[in-house]
Amino acid sequence: LACVDGVYTKYVVVELSQGTGGVQAKAVKAIMGCYESEDEAALMEVLRGLEAEGSEMAIIGQWMYYGQVSDKAKQEECYVRFAENYPAFNLLLGDLYLKKYAECKDFSYVRKAIECFYEADSHGMLCRRYAGRLVGLYDCYGSEIECSDKELARLKKLTAVRR
């Protein structure tokens, strides 16, 4: 997002010019306000309110803000909320959990990652790359996590599928 001479990105201009003034446009304005305001906490409250009204942009704005202030826990919460509406984000959330596991070696993060990958799979979003990631996890941690031979064969077939 960028602000040039007081004009927000094309997205906002189109949204506002259509007279909708919708929650997405309000969220983008609030996001831009984060870069111009001293009271970021108040703007985060505005974004949370806009999220409650259905704005996905509000979640993205919060995620960006929490990234800037290095609040990984709050960023993770944003991923979780986004994945509730967009199952493909479970793949990214699973990646996040695997990174956390690499940092702290808490095996519960591997389990969370697997849950996320299967949540994406339940919506038809498990692509070849992530099927391969699951196969790798089962290969590495097979003694700690269960996977039937039938399921492992299914995942291996998915890794061979090219779209």
Side-chain angles (χ1 to χ4, degrees), residues 42-115:
L43 287 167
M44 287 299 104
E45 283 300 315
V46 169
L47 288 174
R48 282 189 281 282
L50 292 168
E51 178 187 348
E53 292 180 40
S55 172
E56 291 93 1
M57 286 301 297
I59 301 171
I60 293 170
Q62 292 170 71
W63 177 82
M64 290 167 43
Y65 171 75
Y66 293 129
Q68 287 181 340
V69 298
S70 299
D71 189 334
K72 291 183 178 186
K74 292 283 188 183
Q75 261 196 320
E76 179 184 333
E77 290 173 15
C78 291
Y79 269 120
V80 169
R81 293 193 314 270
F82 216 59
E84 289 171 0
N85 295 320
Y86 300 97
F89 273 82
N90 282 291
L91 301 172
L92 301 175
L93 187 57
D95 281 343
L96 178 73
Y97 290 138
L98 290 178
K99 285 179 186 172
K100 281 186 159 191
Y101 171 72
E103 293 169 2
C104 69
K105 301 302 181 205
D106 179 347
F107 197 75
S108 69
Y109 288 116
V110 172
R111 292 185 191 286
K112 285 182 176 184
I114 291 170
E115 288 174 17

Side-chain angles (χ1 to χ4, degrees), residues 87-162:
F89 273 82
N90 282 291
L91 301 172
L92 301 175
L93 187 57
D95 281 343
L96 178 73
Y97 290 138
L98 290 178
K99 285 179 186 172
K100 281 186 159 191
Y101 171 72
E103 293 169 2
C104 69
K105 301 302 181 205
D106 179 347
F107 197 75
S108 69
Y109 288 116
V110 172
R111 292 185 191 286
K112 285 182 176 184
I114 291 170
E115 288 174 17
C116 287
F117 297 150
Y118 276 110
E119 180 63 26
D121 187 32
S122 73
H123 294 277
M125 302 285 174
L126 187 68
C127 60
R128 186 171 61 94
R129 175 181 180 183
Y130 287 93
R133 195 153 293 159
L134 280 169
V135 170
L137 290 170
Y138 289 129
D139 285 347
C140 287
Y141 306 110
S143 63
E144 298 176 62
I145 48 180
E146 282 188 37
C147 182
S148 69
D149 291 339
K150 183 178 178 180
E151 175 61 7
L152 194 55
R154 181 187 79 90
L155 292 170
K156 286 180 179 180
K157 281 183 184 178
L158 283 174
T159 63
V161 173
R162 298 222 184 248

